[in-house]
Amino acid sequence: MTEIRLPWPPTELSPNSRLHWSQLARAKKIYREACWAATMAAKTKLGEAGYLRVELTFYRPNRRAY
């Protein structure tokens, strides 16, 4: 099993943010490239059937000290 950790989306990508369309597009591009780079760094191969099983688990970041 391969684990890929993607960064949490920035606050600029929140549906409640009120950004100019060009600032929003810039934030989307930066986040998309960061996720692409993390995925390509994992170098996951396809299975014998030619597909990957994907399981998503979201852990929201917080400031709690454990």
Side-chain angles (χ1 to χ4, degrees):
M1 172 162 56
T2 303
E3 182 176 316
I4 302 172
R5 292 185 177 256
L6 300 177
W8 192 258
T11 56
E12 292 88 10
L13 298 182
S14 168
N16 293 329
S17 68
R18 307 282 196 267
L19 289 180
H20 188 266
W21 65 267
S22 65
Q23 291 174 330
L24 182 62
R26 187 177 308 119
K28 285 180 182 179
K29 182 178 180 179
I30 292 170
Y31 182 67
R32 190 180 307 120
E33 288 175 352
C35 293
W36 177 83
T39 305
M40 288 295 122
K43 296 185 179 181
T44 303
K45 302 272 186 188
L46 291 177
E48 291 180 13
Y51 63 90
L52 292 174
R53 178 175 177 221
V54 177
E55 183 177 316
L56 301 175
T57 306
F58 294 95
Y59 296 104
R60 184 176 181 166
N62 59 22
R63 296 181 184 187
R64 184 186 303 179
Y66 292 100

Short mmCIF file of all heavy atoms in Angstrom, two decimals:
data_model
loop_
_atom_site.label_atom_id
_atom_site.label_comp_id
_atom_site.label_asym_id
_atom_site.label_seq_id
_atom_site.Cartn_x
_atom_site.Cartn_y
_atom_site.Cartn_z
N MET A 1 0.84 -1.16 0.00
CA MET A 1 0.00 0.00 0.00
C MET A 1 0.89 1.24 0.00
O MET A 1 1.88 1.31 0.72
CB MET A 1 -0.90 0.01 1.23
CG MET A 1 -1.63 1.30 1.31
SD MET A 1 -3.07 1.51 2.31
CE MET A 1 -2.80 1.10 3.91
N THR A 2 0.53 2.21 -0.80
CA THR A 2 1.26 3.46 -0.89
C THR A 2 0.43 4.56 -0.25
O THR A 2 -0.75 4.69 -0.52
CB THR A 2 1.53 3.82 -2.36
OG1 THR A 2 2.24 2.77 -2.97
CG2 THR A 2 2.34 5.09 -2.46
N GLU A 3 1.05 5.34 0.59
CA GLU A 3 0.37 6.45 1.25
C GLU A 3 0.89 7.76 0.68
O GLU A 3 2.10 7.98 0.62
CB GLU A 3 0.61 6.41 2.75
CG GLU A 3 -0.09 7.49 3.51
CD GLU A 3 0.10 7.36 5.00
OE1 GLU A 3 -0.01 6.23 5.51
OE2 GLU A 3 0.38 8.38 5.63
N ILE A 4 -0.02 8.60 0.25
CA ILE A 4 0.35 9.91 -0.29
C ILE A 4 -0.30 10.96 0.60
O ILE A 4 -1.51 10.99 0.75
CB ILE A 4 -0.14 10.08 -1.74
CG1 ILE A 4 0.43 8.98 -2.63
CG2 ILE A 4 0.25 11.45 -2.27
CD1 ILE A 4 -0.14 8.96 -4.02
N ARG A 5 0.52 11.81 1.20
CA ARG A 5 0.00 12.87 2.06
C ARG A 5 -0.02 14.18 1.27
O ARG A 5 1.03 14.67 0.85
CB ARG A 5 0.87 13.04 3.30
CG ARG A 5 0.76 11.86 4.22
CD ARG A 5 1.55 12.12 5.49
NE ARG A 5 1.37 11.00 6.39
CZ ARG A 5 0.58 11.04 7.45
NH1 ARG A 5 -0.08 12.13 7.73
NH2 ARG A 5 0.46 9.98 8.22
N LEU A 6 -1.22 14.70 1.10
CA LEU A 6 -1.38 15.96 0.39
C LEU A 6 -1.58 17.08 1.39
O LEU A 6 -2.17 16.89 2.45
CB LEU A 6 -2.60 15.88 -0.54
CG LEU A 6 -2.55 14.79 -1.61
CD1 LEU A 6 -3.83 14.79 -2.41
CD2 LEU A 6 -1.36 14.97 -2.52
N PRO A 7 -1.12 18.29 1.06
CA PRO A 7 -1.32 19.41 1.97
C PRO A 7 -2.80 19.78 2.05
O PRO A 7 -3.55 19.59 1.11
CB PRO A 7 -0.50 20.54 1.34
CG PRO A 7 -0.37 20.17 -0.09
CD PRO A 7 -0.39 18.67 -0.15
N TRP A 8 -3.21 20.30 3.21
CA TRP A 8 -4.59 20.75 3.38
C TRP A 8 -4.79 21.98 2.50
O TRP A 8 -3.90 22.82 2.39
CB TRP A 8 -4.84 21.08 4.85
CG TRP A 8 -6.28 21.28 5.16
CD1 TRP A 8 -6.91 22.47 5.32
CD2 TRP A 8 -7.26 20.27 5.32
NE1 TRP A 8 -8.23 22.24 5.58
CE2 TRP A 8 -8.48 20.92 5.60
CE3 TRP A 8 -7.23 18.89 5.27
CZ2 TRP A 8 -9.67 20.22 5.81
CZ3 TRP A 8 -8.41 18.20 5.48
CH2 TRP A 8 -9.61 18.86 5.75
N PRO A 9 -5.93 22.10 1.83
CA PRO A 9 -6.15 23.26 0.96
C PRO A 9 -6.05 24.58 1.73
O PRO A 9 -6.52 24.68 2.86
CB PRO A 9 -7.58 23.06 0.45
CG PRO A 9 -7.86 21.62 0.64
CD PRO A 9 -7.05 21.18 1.81
N PRO A 10 -5.46 25.58 1.12
CA PRO A 10 -5.33 26.88 1.80
C PRO A 10 -6.69 27.55 1.98
O PRO A 10 -7.66 27.20 1.31
CB PRO A 10 -4.42 27.69 0.87
CG PRO A 10 -4.53 27.03 -0.45
CD PRO A 10 -4.83 25.58 -0.19
N THR A 11 -6.74 28.53 2.86
CA THR A 11 -8.01 29.21 3.13
C THR A 11 -8.53 29.97 1.91
O THR A 11 -9.73 30.22 1.81
CB THR A 11 -7.86 30.19 4.30
OG1 THR A 11 -6.81 31.11 4.00
CG2 THR A 11 -7.54 29.46 5.58
N GLU A 12 -7.66 30.30 0.99
CA GLU A 12 -8.10 31.00 -0.22
C GLU A 12 -9.04 30.14 -1.06
O GLU A 12 -9.83 30.65 -1.84
CB GLU A 12 -6.90 31.42 -1.09
CG GLU A 12 -6.03 32.49 -0.48
CD GLU A 12 -4.94 31.90 0.40
OE1 GLU A 12 -4.74 30.68 0.40
OE2 GLU A 12 -4.30 32.69 1.12
N LEU A 13 -8.96 28.81 -0.91
CA LEU A 13 -9.80 27.91 -1.69
C LEU A 13 -11.11 27.57 -0.99
O LEU A 13 -11.90 26.78 -1.51
CB LEU A 13 -9.03 26.62 -2.02
CG LEU A 13 -7.78 26.82 -2.87
CD1 LEU A 13 -7.14 25.49 -3.17
CD2 LEU A 13 -8.09 27.55 -4.15
N SER A 14 -11.35 28.19 0.15
CA SER A 14 -12.61 27.99 0.85
C SER A 14 -13.75 28.61 0.04
O SER A 14 -13.59 29.69 -0.54
CB SER A 14 -12.55 28.64 2.23
OG SER A 14 -13.84 28.70 2.80
N PRO A 15 -14.92 27.96 0.01
CA PRO A 15 -16.06 28.56 -0.72
C PRO A 15 -16.50 29.90 -0.11
O PRO A 15 -17.15 30.68 -0.79
CB PRO A 15 -17.16 27.53 -0.58
CG PRO A 15 -16.49 26.27 -0.20
CD PRO A 15 -15.22 26.64 0.51
N ASN A 16 -16.15 30.15 1.14
CA ASN A 16 -16.55 31.40 1.80
C ASN A 16 -15.56 32.54 1.58
O ASN A 16 -15.85 33.66 2.00
CB ASN A 16 -16.72 31.17 3.30
CG ASN A 16 -17.87 30.27 3.60
OD1 ASN A 16 -18.86 30.25 2.88
ND2 ASN A 16 -17.75 29.49 4.66
N SER A 17 -14.44 32.28 0.95
CA SER A 17 -13.48 33.36 0.72
C SER A 17 -13.97 34.23 -0.43
O SER A 17 -14.59 33.76 -1.38
CB SER A 17 -12.09 32.80 0.41
OG SER A 17 -12.09 32.15 -0.83
N ARG A 18 -13.69 35.50 -0.32
CA ARG A 18 -14.13 36.46 -1.33
C ARG A 18 -12.89 37.03 -2.02
O ARG A 18 -12.41 38.10 -1.67
CB ARG A 18 -14.93 37.59 -0.69
CG ARG A 18 -16.08 37.17 0.17
CD ARG A 18 -17.27 36.77 -0.68
NE ARG A 18 -18.51 36.69 0.08
CZ ARG A 18 -18.97 35.60 0.64
NH1 ARG A 18 -18.26 34.51 0.60
NH2 ARG A 18 -20.12 35.59 1.27
N LEU A 19 -12.38 36.28 -2.94
CA LEU A 19 -11.17 36.70 -3.65
C LEU A 19 -11.49 37.13 -5.07
O LEU A 19 -12.48 36.68 -5.67
CB LEU A 19 -10.15 35.56 -3.72
CG LEU A 19 -9.46 35.16 -2.44
CD1 LEU A 19 -8.50 34.01 -2.71
CD2 LEU A 19 -8.70 36.31 -1.86
N HIS A 20 -10.62 37.95 -5.60
CA HIS A 20 -10.70 38.28 -7.02
C HIS A 20 -10.41 37.01 -7.81
O HIS A 20 -9.64 36.14 -7.36
CB HIS A 20 -9.66 39.36 -7.33
CG HIS A 20 -9.77 39.92 -8.71
ND1 HIS A 20 -9.03 39.43 -9.75
CD2 HIS A 20 -10.55 40.91 -9.21
CE1 HIS A 20 -9.33 40.11 -10.87
NE2 HIS A 20 -10.25 41.01 -10.55
N TRP A 21 -11.01 36.87 -8.97
CA TRP A 21 -10.88 35.62 -9.73
C TRP A 21 -9.42 35.30 -10.06
O TRP A 21 -9.03 34.13 -10.10
CB TRP A 21 -11.70 35.67 -11.01
CG TRP A 21 -11.25 36.71 -12.00
CD1 TRP A 21 -11.70 37.98 -12.12
CD2 TRP A 21 -10.24 36.54 -13.00
NE1 TRP A 21 -11.03 38.63 -13.12
CE2 TRP A 21 -10.13 37.77 -13.68
CE3 TRP A 21 -9.42 35.49 -13.37
CZ2 TRP A 21 -9.23 37.95 -14.72
CZ3 TRP A 21 -8.52 35.69 -14.42
CH2 TRP A 21 -8.45 36.91 -15.08
N SER A 22 -8.57 36.32 -10.26
CA SER A 22 -7.18 36.03 -10.61
C SER A 22 -6.40 35.52 -9.39
O SER A 22 -5.55 34.65 -9.53
CB SER A 22 -6.50 37.27 -11.20
OG SER A 22 -6.42 38.29 -10.23
N GLN A 23 -6.70 36.04 -8.20
CA GLN A 23 -6.05 35.54 -6.99
C GLN A 23 -6.49 34.11 -6.70
O GLN A 23 -5.68 33.28 -6.28
CB GLN A 23 -6.39 36.43 -5.79
CG GLN A 23 -5.78 37.79 -5.87
CD GLN A 23 -6.26 38.68 -4.74
OE1 GLN A 23 -7.38 38.51 -4.25
NE2 GLN A 23 -5.42 39.60 -4.32
N LEU A 24 -7.77 33.82 -6.93
CA LEU A 24 -8.28 32.47 -6.73
C LEU A 24 -7.64 31.50 -7.72
O LEU A 24 -7.24 30.40 -7.35
CB LEU A 24 -9.80 32.46 -6.89
CG LEU A 24 -10.50 31.14 -6.67
CD1 LEU A 24 -10.29 30.65 -5.24
CD2 LEU A 24 -11.98 31.28 -6.97
N ALA A 25 -7.51 31.91 -8.96
CA ALA A 25 -6.89 31.05 -9.97
C ALA A 25 -5.43 30.77 -9.62
O ALA A 25 -4.95 29.64 -9.80
CB ALA A 25 -6.98 31.71 -11.35
N ARG A 26 -4.72 31.77 -9.10
CA ARG A 26 -3.32 31.58 -8.71
C ARG A 26 -3.20 30.59 -7.55
O ARG A 26 -2.34 29.71 -7.55
CB ARG A 26 -2.70 32.92 -8.33
CG ARG A 26 -1.22 32.85 -8.07
CD ARG A 26 -0.59 34.20 -7.77
NE ARG A 26 -0.92 35.20 -8.78
CZ ARG A 26 -1.59 36.33 -8.54
NH1 ARG A 26 -1.99 36.61 -7.31
NH2 ARG A 26 -1.84 37.18 -9.49
N ALA A 27 -4.11 30.73 -6.56
CA ALA A 27 -4.09 29.81 -5.42
C ALA A 27 -4.41 28.39 -5.86
O ALA A 27 -3.80 27.43 -5.38
CB ALA A 27 -5.09 30.28 -4.36
N LYS A 28 -5.36 28.22 -6.77
CA LYS A 28 -5.71 26.89 -7.29
C LYS A 28 -4.53 26.27 -8.02
O LYS A 28 -4.24 25.08 -7.86
CB LYS A 28 -6.90 26.97 -8.24
CG LYS A 28 -8.21 27.18 -7.56
CD LYS A 28 -9.33 27.24 -8.58
CE LYS A 28 -10.67 27.50 -7.95
NZ LYS A 28 -11.74 27.57 -8.97
N LYS A 29 -3.85 27.06 -8.82
CA LYS A 29 -2.71 26.55 -9.59
C LYS A 29 -1.59 26.08 -8.67
O LYS A 29 -1.03 25.00 -8.87
CB LYS A 29 -2.19 27.63 -10.53
CG LYS A 29 -1.05 27.18 -11.40
CD LYS A 29 -0.62 28.28 -12.35
CE LYS A 29 0.52 27.80 -13.21
NZ LYS A 29 0.97 28.83 -14.16
N ILE A 30 -1.29 26.86 -7.65
CA ILE A 30 -0.22 26.50 -6.71
C ILE A 30 -0.57 25.23 -5.96
O ILE A 30 0.25 24.32 -5.82
CB ILE A 30 0.07 27.67 -5.75
CG1 ILE A 30 0.69 28.83 -6.51
CG2 ILE A 30 0.96 27.23 -4.60
CD1 ILE A 30 0.79 30.11 -5.71
N TYR A 31 -1.82 25.12 -5.49
CA TYR A 31 -2.25 23.93 -4.75
C TYR A 31 -2.28 22.70 -5.66
O TYR A 31 -1.85 21.62 -5.28
CB TYR A 31 -3.62 24.16 -4.13
CG TYR A 31 -4.10 23.01 -3.30
CD1 TYR A 31 -3.44 22.66 -2.12
CD2 TYR A 31 -5.19 22.23 -3.69
CE1 TYR A 31 -3.87 21.59 -1.35
CE2 TYR A 31 -5.61 21.16 -2.93
CZ TYR A 31 -4.95 20.85 -1.77
OH TYR A 31 -5.37 19.77 -1.02
N ARG A 32 -2.77 22.86 -6.88
CA ARG A 32 -2.82 21.75 -7.82
C ARG A 32 -1.41 21.23 -8.13
O ARG A 32 -1.18 20.02 -8.18
CB ARG A 32 -3.50 22.21 -9.11
CG ARG A 32 -3.83 21.09 -10.06
CD ARG A 32 -4.50 21.58 -11.33
NE ARG A 32 -5.66 22.40 -11.07
CZ ARG A 32 -5.79 23.68 -11.48
NH1 ARG A 32 -4.81 24.27 -12.14
NH2 ARG A 32 -6.88 24.35 -11.21
N GLU A 33 -0.45 22.14 -8.32
CA GLU A 33 0.92 21.74 -8.61
C GLU A 33 1.56 21.04 -7.40
O GLU A 33 2.32 20.09 -7.58
CB GLU A 33 1.75 22.94 -9.05
CG GLU A 33 1.38 23.43 -10.43
CD GLU A 33 2.13 24.69 -10.83
OE1 GLU A 33 2.82 25.29 -9.98
OE2 GLU A 33 1.98 25.10 -12.00
N ALA A 34 1.25 21.50 -6.19
CA ALA A 34 1.80 20.87 -4.99
C ALA A 34 1.26 19.44 -4.85
O ALA A 34 2.01 18.51 -4.52
CB ALA A 34 1.45 21.69 -3.75
N CYS A 35 -0.03 19.25 -5.11
CA CYS A 35 -0.63 17.91 -5.04
C CYS A 35 -0.08 17.01 -6.14
O CYS A 35 0.19 15.83 -5.92
CB CYS A 35 -2.15 18.00 -5.13
SG CYS A 35 -2.90 18.78 -3.70
N TRP A 36 0.11 17.56 -7.33
CA TRP A 36 0.66 16.78 -8.44
C TRP A 36 2.08 16.31 -8.11
O TRP A 36 2.43 15.16 -8.34
CB TRP A 36 0.65 17.61 -9.71
CG TRP A 36 1.25 16.91 -10.88
CD1 TRP A 36 0.65 16.03 -11.72
CD2 TRP A 36 2.61 17.03 -11.34
NE1 TRP A 36 1.54 15.60 -12.66
CE2 TRP A 36 2.75 16.19 -12.45
CE3 TRP A 36 3.70 17.76 -10.91
CZ2 TRP A 36 3.94 16.07 -13.14
CZ3 TRP A 36 4.89 17.64 -11.60
CH2 TRP A 36 5.00 16.80 -12.70
N ALA A 37 2.88 17.22 -7.54
CA ALA A 37 4.27 16.88 -7.21
C ALA A 37 4.32 15.78 -6.14
O ALA A 37 5.13 14.86 -6.23
CB ALA A 37 5.01 18.12 -6.75
N ALA A 38 3.45 15.87 -5.14
CA ALA A 38 3.42 14.85 -4.08
C ALA A 38 2.99 13.50 -4.64
O ALA A 38 3.52 12.46 -4.26
CB ALA A 38 2.49 15.28 -2.96
N THR A 39 2.05 13.52 -5.57
CA THR A 39 1.58 12.28 -6.18
C THR A 39 2.65 11.65 -7.07
O THR A 39 2.86 10.44 -7.06
CB THR A 39 0.30 12.54 -6.99
OG1 THR A 39 -0.67 13.16 -6.14
CG2 THR A 39 -0.28 11.26 -7.54
N MET A 40 3.33 12.48 -7.85
CA MET A 40 4.37 11.96 -8.74
C MET A 40 5.57 11.45 -7.94
O MET A 40 6.25 10.53 -8.37
CB MET A 40 4.82 13.04 -9.72
CG MET A 40 3.81 13.35 -10.79
SD MET A 40 3.54 11.94 -11.87
CE MET A 40 1.80 11.70 -11.66
N ALA A 41 5.81 12.03 -6.78
CA ALA A 41 6.94 11.59 -5.95
C ALA A 41 6.69 10.18 -5.39
O ALA A 41 7.64 9.46 -5.11
CB ALA A 41 7.17 12.57 -4.81
N ALA A 42 5.44 9.80 -5.26
CA ALA A 42 5.12 8.47 -4.73
C ALA A 42 5.42 7.37 -5.75
O ALA A 42 5.71 6.23 -5.38
CB ALA A 42 3.66 8.40 -4.32
N LYS A 43 5.35 7.67 -7.05
CA LYS A 43 5.64 6.72 -8.13
C LYS A 43 4.90 5.39 -7.95
O LYS A 43 5.49 4.32 -7.93
CB LYS A 43 7.14 6.47 -8.25
CG LYS A 43 7.91 7.70 -8.63
CD LYS A 43 9.36 7.40 -8.85
CE LYS A 43 10.10 8.66 -9.25
NZ LYS A 43 11.48 8.44 -9.51
N THR A 44 3.60 5.47 -7.83
CA THR A 44 2.78 4.29 -7.67
C THR A 44 2.54 3.62 -9.01
O THR A 44 2.26 4.27 -10.00
CB THR A 44 1.42 4.67 -7.04
OG1 THR A 44 1.68 5.32 -5.82
CG2 THR A 44 0.57 3.47 -6.80
N LYS A 45 2.66 2.30 -9.05
CA LYS A 45 2.44 1.52 -10.27
C LYS A 45 1.00 1.01 -10.30
O LYS A 45 0.38 0.79 -9.25
CB LYS A 45 3.38 0.32 -10.32
CG LYS A 45 4.84 0.69 -10.26
CD LYS A 45 5.37 0.96 -11.61
CE LYS A 45 6.89 1.18 -11.48
NZ LYS A 45 7.48 1.62 -12.66
N LEU A 46 0.49 0.80 -11.49
CA LEU A 46 -0.85 0.22 -11.64
C LEU A 46 -0.81 -1.26 -11.27
O LEU A 46 0.20 -1.93 -11.44
CB LEU A 46 -1.34 0.37 -13.08
CG LEU A 46 -1.66 1.79 -13.54
CD1 LEU A 46 -2.07 1.76 -15.00
CD2 LEU A 46 -2.74 2.41 -12.71
N GLY A 47 -1.93 -1.74 -10.77
CA GLY A 47 -2.03 -3.16 -10.44
C GLY A 47 -2.15 -4.01 -11.68
O GLY A 47 -2.11 -3.52 -12.81
N GLU A 48 -2.30 -5.31 -11.50
CA GLU A 48 -2.41 -6.23 -12.63
C GLU A 48 -3.65 -5.95 -13.46
O GLU A 48 -3.65 -6.16 -14.66
CB GLU A 48 -2.44 -7.67 -12.12
CG GLU A 48 -1.13 -8.12 -11.52
CD GLU A 48 -1.21 -9.55 -11.02
OE1 GLU A 48 -2.17 -10.26 -11.35
OE2 GLU A 48 -0.30 -9.96 -10.29
N ALA A 49 -4.72 -5.51 -12.81
CA ALA A 49 -5.97 -5.25 -13.53
C ALA A 49 -5.91 -3.91 -14.28
O ALA A 49 -6.80 -3.62 -15.08
CB ALA A 49 -7.14 -5.25 -12.56
N GLY A 50 -4.90 -3.10 -14.05
CA GLY A 50 -4.76 -1.84 -14.76
C GLY A 50 -5.44 -0.66 -14.10
O GLY A 50 -5.67 0.35 -14.73
N TYR A 51 -5.77 -0.80 -12.83
CA TYR A 51 -6.37 0.31 -12.11
C TYR A 51 -5.85 0.35 -10.68
O TYR A 51 -5.25 -0.60 -10.20
CB TYR A 51 -7.90 0.21 -12.12
CG TYR A 51 -8.44 -1.00 -11.41
CD1 TYR A 51 -8.74 -0.97 -10.06
CD2 TYR A 51 -8.66 -2.20 -12.10
CE1 TYR A 51 -9.23 -2.08 -9.41
CE2 TYR A 51 -9.15 -3.31 -11.46
CZ TYR A 51 -9.44 -3.25 -10.11
OH TYR A 51 -9.92 -4.35 -9.47
N LEU A 52 -6.10 1.47 -10.02
CA LEU A 52 -5.69 1.64 -8.63
C LEU A 52 -6.92 1.75 -7.76
O LEU A 52 -7.92 2.35 -8.14
CB LEU A 52 -4.88 2.92 -8.46
CG LEU A 52 -3.51 2.98 -9.09
CD1 LEU A 52 -2.92 4.38 -8.95
CD2 LEU A 52 -2.59 1.97 -8.47
N ARG A 53 -6.85 1.19 -6.58
CA ARG A 53 -7.92 1.38 -5.59
C ARG A 53 -7.50 2.58 -4.75
O ARG A 53 -6.40 2.62 -4.19
CB ARG A 53 -8.07 0.16 -4.72
CG ARG A 53 -9.12 0.34 -3.67
CD ARG A 53 -9.33 -0.92 -2.89
NE ARG A 53 -10.30 -0.66 -1.85
CZ ARG A 53 -10.22 -1.10 -0.62
NH1 ARG A 53 -9.21 -1.88 -0.28
NH2 ARG A 53 -11.12 -0.81 0.26
N VAL A 54 -8.39 3.55 -4.66
CA VAL A 54 -8.09 4.78 -3.93
C VAL A 54 -9.00 4.88 -2.73
O VAL A 54 -10.21 4.72 -2.83
CB VAL A 54 -8.29 6.01 -4.84
CG1 VAL A 54 -8.04 7.29 -4.07
CG2 VAL A 54 -7.39 5.93 -6.05
N GLU A 55 -8.40 5.15 -1.58
CA GLU A 55 -9.15 5.35 -0.34
C GLU A 55 -8.73 6.69 0.23
O GLU A 55 -7.54 6.95 0.42
CB GLU A 55 -8.84 4.23 0.65
CG GLU A 55 -9.62 4.31 1.92
CD GLU A 55 -9.32 3.13 2.82
OE1 GLU A 55 -9.26 2.00 2.33
OE2 GLU A 55 -9.12 3.38 4.02
N LEU A 56 -9.69 7.56 0.47
CA LEU A 56 -9.40 8.90 0.97
C LEU A 56 -9.78 9.00 2.44
O LEU A 56 -10.86 8.59 2.84
CB LEU A 56 -10.20 9.95 0.19
CG LEU A 56 -9.96 10.00 -1.31
CD1 LEU A 56 -10.91 10.98 -1.96
CD2 LEU A 56 -8.54 10.36 -1.62
N THR A 57 -8.88 9.57 3.22
CA THR A 57 -9.13 9.86 4.62
C THR A 57 -8.69 11.28 4.87
O THR A 57 -7.54 11.64 4.60
CB THR A 57 -8.35 8.90 5.54
OG1 THR A 57 -8.65 7.57 5.16
CG2 THR A 57 -8.72 9.11 6.98
N PHE A 58 -9.59 12.10 5.38
CA PHE A 58 -9.28 13.50 5.63
C PHE A 58 -9.06 13.72 7.12
O PHE A 58 -9.88 13.33 7.94
CB PHE A 58 -10.44 14.40 5.15
CG PHE A 58 -10.63 14.36 3.68
CD1 PHE A 58 -11.55 13.51 3.11
CD2 PHE A 58 -9.89 15.19 2.86
CE1 PHE A 58 -11.74 13.47 1.74
CE2 PHE A 58 -10.07 15.16 1.49
CZ PHE A 58 -10.99 14.30 0.94
N TYR A 59 -7.95 14.33 7.45
CA TYR A 59 -7.63 14.72 8.83
C TYR A 59 -7.43 16.23 8.83
O TYR A 59 -6.43 16.72 8.30
CB TYR A 59 -6.36 14.03 9.33
CG TYR A 59 -6.50 12.55 9.43
CD1 TYR A 59 -5.92 11.71 8.49
CD2 TYR A 59 -7.21 11.97 10.47
CE1 TYR A 59 -6.05 10.34 8.57
CE2 TYR A 59 -7.33 10.59 10.57
CZ TYR A 59 -6.76 9.79 9.62
OH TYR A 59 -6.88 8.45 9.70
N ARG A 60 -8.39 16.93 9.39
CA ARG A 60 -8.30 18.38 9.41
C ARG A 60 -7.21 18.82 10.39
O ARG A 60 -7.15 18.33 11.52
CB ARG A 60 -9.64 18.95 9.85
CG ARG A 60 -9.67 20.44 9.79
CD ARG A 60 -11.03 20.94 10.15
NE ARG A 60 -10.99 22.38 10.06
CZ ARG A 60 -12.01 23.16 10.05
NH1 ARG A 60 -13.21 22.62 10.13
NH2 ARG A 60 -11.89 24.44 9.96
N PRO A 61 -6.35 19.72 9.99
CA PRO A 61 -5.30 20.19 10.90
C PRO A 61 -5.88 21.03 12.02
O PRO A 61 -6.86 21.75 11.82
CB PRO A 61 -4.38 21.03 10.00
CG PRO A 61 -5.24 21.46 8.88
CD PRO A 61 -6.26 20.38 8.69
N ASN A 62 -5.30 20.90 13.20
CA ASN A 62 -5.72 21.74 14.32
C ASN A 62 -4.49 22.11 15.14
O ASN A 62 -3.40 21.61 14.90
CB ASN A 62 -6.78 21.04 15.18
CG ASN A 62 -6.31 19.72 15.74
OD1 ASN A 62 -5.12 19.48 15.86
ND2 ASN A 62 -7.25 18.88 16.09
N ARG A 63 -4.71 22.95 16.10
CA ARG A 63 -3.58 23.43 16.92
C ARG A 63 -3.50 22.72 18.27
O ARG A 63 -2.82 23.18 19.17
CB ARG A 63 -3.69 24.93 17.13
CG ARG A 63 -3.57 25.70 15.85
CD ARG A 63 -3.67 27.16 16.10
NE ARG A 63 -3.65 27.86 14.81
CZ ARG A 63 -3.58 29.14 14.69
NH1 ARG A 63 -3.53 29.91 15.74
NH2 ARG A 63 -3.58 29.70 13.49
N ARG A 64 -4.21 21.63 18.39
CA ARG A 64 -4.21 20.91 19.66
C ARG A 64 -2.85 20.25 19.89
O ARG A 64 -2.26 19.66 19.00
CB ARG A 64 -5.28 19.84 19.63
CG ARG A 64 -5.40 19.11 20.95
CD ARG A 64 -6.34 17.95 20.87
NE ARG A 64 -7.66 18.36 20.44
CZ ARG A 64 -8.66 17.51 20.28
NH1 ARG A 64 -8.48 16.23 20.51
NH2 ARG A 64 -9.82 17.93 19.89
N ALA A 65 -2.36 20.37 21.13
CA ALA A 65 -1.12 19.73 21.50
C ALA A 65 -1.43 18.34 22.04
O ALA A 65 -2.21 18.19 22.96
CB ALA A 65 -0.39 20.55 22.56
N TYR A 66 -0.86 17.31 21.44
CA TYR A 66 -1.11 15.94 21.87
C TYR A 66 -0.03 15.47 22.80
O TYR A 66 1.10 15.77 22.68
CB TYR A 66 -1.20 15.01 20.66
CG TYR A 66 -2.41 15.26 19.82
CD1 TYR A 66 -2.32 16.00 18.65
CD2 TYR A 66 -3.64 14.77 20.20
CE1 TYR A 66 -3.43 16.23 17.88
CE2 TYR A 66 -4.75 14.99 19.42
CZ TYR A 66 -4.65 15.72 18.27
OH TYR A 66 -5.76 15.95 17.51
#
